[in-house]
Amino acid sequence: MVTTYYVAIMGITLRYLYESFRSPLPWSECRSEWEANCVASSLGNTSKLSNNRMDMDMPQQQPVASAELYFLKEVLHEKPDIIDGIGLPNWELVIGLFVAWLCVFLIIRRGVKSSGKASYFLAIFPYVIMCVLLIRAVTLPGAADGILYFIKPQWGKILDPKVWYAAVTQCFYSLSVCFGNIIMYSSFNKFGHNVHRDAAIVTGLDTVTSLLAGFTIFGILGHLAHEIGTNDIGTVVKGGAGLAFISYPDAIAKFKQLPQIFSVLFFLMLFVLGIGSNIAMTSCSVTAIRDRFPHFKQWQCSLFIAIISFAIGLMYITPGGQYMLTLVDFFGASMIALVLGIAELYTIGWIYGTDRLCKDIEFMLGRKVGLYWRLCWSIITPLIMTVILVYFYATYEPLAYNDKNYPSWAYSIGWTITAFGIFQLPAWMIMAIVRDPGKTFSEKISGAFKPYKDWGPLDPLLREQYHKKIENELTPKRGQGVWAAIKQNIYG
């Protein structure tokens, strides 16, 4: 679900990348068919033009930047609501969607051999562009105000469960947690691969990248606020897709010298980053299918997923596409990932066992796991995530897009998607119990909640050493009571 709408966004990005070569930029000026309260994004202080009115006897209307109207009316052809349906796809965006999926297919068609080589370019090139844009951003008037707005905490929001929910789901997206990508890539590693080092590098670089991108974007948005004559950066920031396709283009249009260059660089960077993310997600689906059906060739599986996903992605480039994208993102990605992520935490921490996990790491890497990680995996992280989920549901409000609630049928679709994802957890749990070879029902349940006897390293000699080590180190506290087992699971 994430892949289908993510590539749809890349299709929109390609449209903007193509239009970025034009002079002047097509979103920088108002068009005659737009509202009379349109203000050209290429102008400076738009607050001076706020006296634009449809009728002098009518209340003053809020001016709207041409970049926003271009995105809504020329790119999306967005409907005011979706009561009458979502409409037909925009043919220009269909071309962008096709090109995006073609790029993904060509990169993953040979598996890690091709995607691994492409990753060097997909990972390094965006940093080059980001550094160029950052240098330009910090030299603009008002950039410091935008960067300060980006990093200055709003302490009043610290206890807002929606903020924590958004933060957690953003980390899930950014690090691909609970989407299978990390597990898929790790399956290609050697048994003794230093995952501790990789985890430190990936999480560290992810944080640095987020800060680097934030400084760049908000530096330019600070310049936008300076140009339109406001000290409130929040008024020029659009959420969601609006940040990339409204706020940033609006700011770029105000550049006095060669705005096309910075527009091309930005949307090229956005496209490359998006393709890199989609390669990981699509490769994960391909790997899962080919593990189950080995006779299915890599290119065949890749092509099959690309075609199906392209067909689904057409929904997101219709006039009502952003409504559906917001709906699927909320009900089909964020909510499912959070619930299943919490289930994974409890499964690994208390069913498989934190102590056994730490013993596995020690066996693979030859280094002991510290108390900090034991406490995180067994208590701190599951507890925090559970509290966030409970608070979120307790304060739940119906999802809205542009301050408009969805029709009842849309909420029904959303909750059906959520149920489909979440109810797979008990469904496969029941399936595991039924398939267990135990003779009695209690034996089946007990067996389903334990690793199989052949669980361990693939190499027979290593597996034999592993089982001896695990049995010797996990046995002592068994049969000594619940508290003894809990203490061992946490402290070892």
Side-chain angles (χ1 to χ4, degrees):
M1 286 185 287
V2 175
T3 303
T4 54
Y5 71 68
Y6 213 95
V7 178
I9 296 174
M10 293 305 100
I12 299 174
T13 303
L14 278 179
R15 167 74 185 274
Y16 270 86
L17 178 61
Y18 173 77
E19 299 288 358
S20 295
F21 289 95
R22 295 190 178 185
S23 180
L25 293 172
W27 57 81
S28 63
E29 304 294 338
C30 293
R31 301 190 181 187
S32 57
E33 64 269 22
W34 294 348
E35 288 95 335
N37 60 328
C38 173
V39 178
S41 293
S42 58
L43 297 177
N45 194 339
T46 55
S47 62
K48 295 179 180 179
L49 303 176
S50 60
N51 59 350
N52 288 354
R53 302 181 184 180
M54 293 289 290
D55 189 324
M56 293 300 293
D57 297 327
M58 294 177 63
Q60 181 174 314
Q61 290 186 325
Q62 184 70 24
V64 181
S66 59
E68 181 172 354
L69 292 173
Y70 178 81
F71 178 61
L72 297 178
K73 295 184 176 296
E74 294 298 319
V75 178
L76 299 180
H77 301 287
E78 187 166 277
K79 291 185 173 185
D81 55 57
I82 56 169
I83 295 177
D84 299 325
I86 60 176
L88 295 175
N90 180 353
W91 69 269
E92 293 167 313
L93 298 183
V94 171
I95 295 175
L97 181 66
F98 174 79
V99 172
W101 270 115
L102 180 63
C103 291
V104 173
F105 167 72
L106 292 176
I107 292 173
I108 68 170
R109 73 188 190 280
R110 294 178 59 196
V112 291
K113 292 181 179 179
S114 55
S115 62
K117 294 177 180 177
S119 294
Y120 286 104
F121 171 78
L122 296 172
I124 297 173
F125 181 67
Y127 283 101
V128 176
I129 298 180
M130 212 176 298
C131 290
V132 173
L133 293 175
L134 178 62
I135 294 171
R136 175 56 179 158
V138 297
T139 58
L140 293 169
D145 295 331
I147 294 173
L148 182 62
Y149 177 84
F150 171 60
I151 62 175
K152 185 179 180 180
Q154 298 181 29
W155 297 111
K157 298 283 188 179
I158 197 70
L159 296 179
D160 187 348
K162 293 182 180 179
V163 172
W164 285 97
Y165 175 83
V168 168
T169 51
Q170 171 57 28
C171 288
F172 276 30
Y173 277 116
S174 187
L175 290 167
S176 297
V177 177
C178 296
F179 290 97
N181 305 350
I182 298 174
I183 296 175
M184 179 271 296
Y185 279 131
S186 69
S187 69
F188 295 101
N189 287 336
K190 295 180 180 179
F191 181 75
H193 186 79
N194 192 346
V195 293
H196 178 273
R197 178 198 61 199
D198 287 1
I201 292 174
V202 169
T203 52
L205 280 178
D206 178 74
T207 304
V208 171
T209 304
S210 297
L211 290 173
L212 184 64
F215 290 149
T216 303
I217 299 297
F218 278 86
I220 293 176
L221 292 179
H223 173 65
L224 172 60
H226 172 80
E227 287 291 305
I228 66 175
T230 179
N231 294 323
D232 186 2
I233 309 297
T235 59
V236 302
V237 179
K238 299 288 183 180
L243 178 62
F245 301 122
I246 297 177
S247 298
Y248 192 88
D250 189 27
I252 288 292
K254 292 177 173 56
F255 282 18
K256 301 297 187 294
Q257 297 176 343
L258 298 176
Q260 291 81 8
I261 292 179
F262 298 101
S263 183
V264 169
L265 287 176
F266 174 75
F267 289 109
L268 180 60
M269 177 190 70
L270 206 63
F271 180 74
V272 172
L273 285 171
I275 292 298
S277 298
N278 276 285
I279 286 170
M281 288 188 281
T282 309
S283 297
C284 180
S285 302
V286 172
T287 302
I289 293 173
R290 294 196 67 233
D291 282 352
R292 182 64 181 84
F293 305 101
H295 64 279
F296 211 1
K297 294 181 180 179
Q298 176 75 25
W299 72 268
Q300 292 174 333
C301 190
S302 302
L303 183 61
F304 172 75
I305 290 177
I307 292 173
I308 296 297
S309 300
F310 171 79
I312 297 173
L314 293 173
M315 173 178 66
Y316 303 113
I317 54 176
T318 59
Q322 292 299 304
Y323 285 90
M324 301 308 296
L325 190 152
T326 304
L327 186 77
V328 175
D329 175 64
F330 181 80
F331 287 102
S334 302
M335 196 175 292
I336 294 176
L338 183 60
V339 173
L340 296 185
I342 293 172
E344 284 186 28
L345 286 169
Y346 284 108
T347 301
I348 295 296
W350 292 98
I351 296 177
Y352 185 80
T354 301
D355 191 34
R356 179 159 187 168
L357 176 65
C358 293
K359 294 293 190 297
D360 290 351
I361 295 172
E362 183 180 347
F363 184 81
M364 295 171 72
L365 303 184
R367 58 183 299 168
K368 288 185 176 294
V369 179
L371 180 61
Y372 169 78
W373 295 111
R374 285 178 172 271
L375 291 173
C376 282
W377 294 335
S378 60
I379 299 176
I380 298 174
T381 309
L383 182 62
I384 291 176
M385 296 285 284
T386 304
V387 170
I388 291 172
L389 182 66
V390 171
Y391 265 70
F392 173 76
Y393 278 116
T395 59
Y396 169 78
E397 295 178 359
L399 179 68
Y401 177 73
N402 283 345
D403 298 323
K404 294 180 181 179
N405 287 338
Y406 286 78
S408 56
W409 60 264
Y411 290 119
S412 299
I413 291 175
W415 285 111
T416 300
I417 293 173
T418 301
F420 175 76
I422 293 176
F423 282 126
Q424 289 196 53
L425 182 65
W428 289 105
M429 189 183 297
I430 293 171
M431 183 68 71
I433 294 173
V434 171
R435 289 178 174 177
D436 192 83
K439 296 181 180 179
T440 65
F441 185 67
S442 60
E443 288 179 355
K444 284 180 173 291
I445 294 179
S446 177
F449 282 82
K450 294 178 181 177
Y452 289 126
K453 292 182 178 179
D454 61 348
W455 170 254
L458 186 65
D459 182 81
L461 182 60
L462 276 177
R463 186 161 62 244
E464 182 180 356
Q465 296 174 358
Y466 170 76
H467 283 293
K468 287 181 180 179
K469 182 177 179 64
I470 291 298
E471 282 300 315
N472 290 335
E473 296 188 359
L474 292 182
T475 301
K477 297 293 183 181
R478 290 176 184 170
Q480 297 184 23
V482 175
W483 289 111
I486 291 175
K487 185 178 178 180
Q488 181 185 2
N489 188 52
I490 299 174
Y491 297 104

